[in-house]
Amino acid sequence: DLPLGYESLTLTKIPVSLTTLIEDELILALPIVVKHTVCPSNEFQMRESENNNNVQNNPFHVLSSLKISK
């Protein structure tokens, strides 16, 4: 009789390392994606003024003509 939210682990013949079991459970409890309420500024993100000056220098600028407008 385990409280709600707990899972039983039945061991028969194979010994289990408690530290490995705890480590695995902690890794599984981590979120897949980092979550935060306010997105910090990205140091690699271009500023709007820099973006306007570097549009022609961007090697992918040619691809913008292939965009399908909806």
Side-chain angles (χ1 to χ4, degrees):
D1 293 329
L2 291 174
L4 188 62
Y6 287 92
E7 181 179 325
S8 67
L9 177 64
T10 306
L11 303 176
T12 54
K13 296 179 182 178
I14 303 170
V16 175
S17 168
L18 183 60
T19 56
T20 303
L21 179 66
I22 292 172
E23 180 183 8
D24 290 345
E25 291 297 321
L26 287 173
I27 290 172
L28 288 172
L30 291 173
I32 294 173
V33 179
V34 179
K35 301 176 185 176
H36 47 271
T37 55
V38 177
C39 189
S41 63
N42 186 352
E43 64 182 293
F44 300 109
Q45 187 176 16
M46 291 174 143
R47 294 184 196 138
E48 193 64 34
S49 62
E50 291 175 0
N51 191 17
N52 292 337
N53 294 334
N54 291 331
V55 168
Q56 296 300 327
N57 296 334
N58 186 345
F60 300 104
H61 178 67
V62 176
L63 296 176
S64 67
S65 64
L66 298 176
K67 284 185 179 180
I68 299 172
S69 60
K70 293 182 180 182

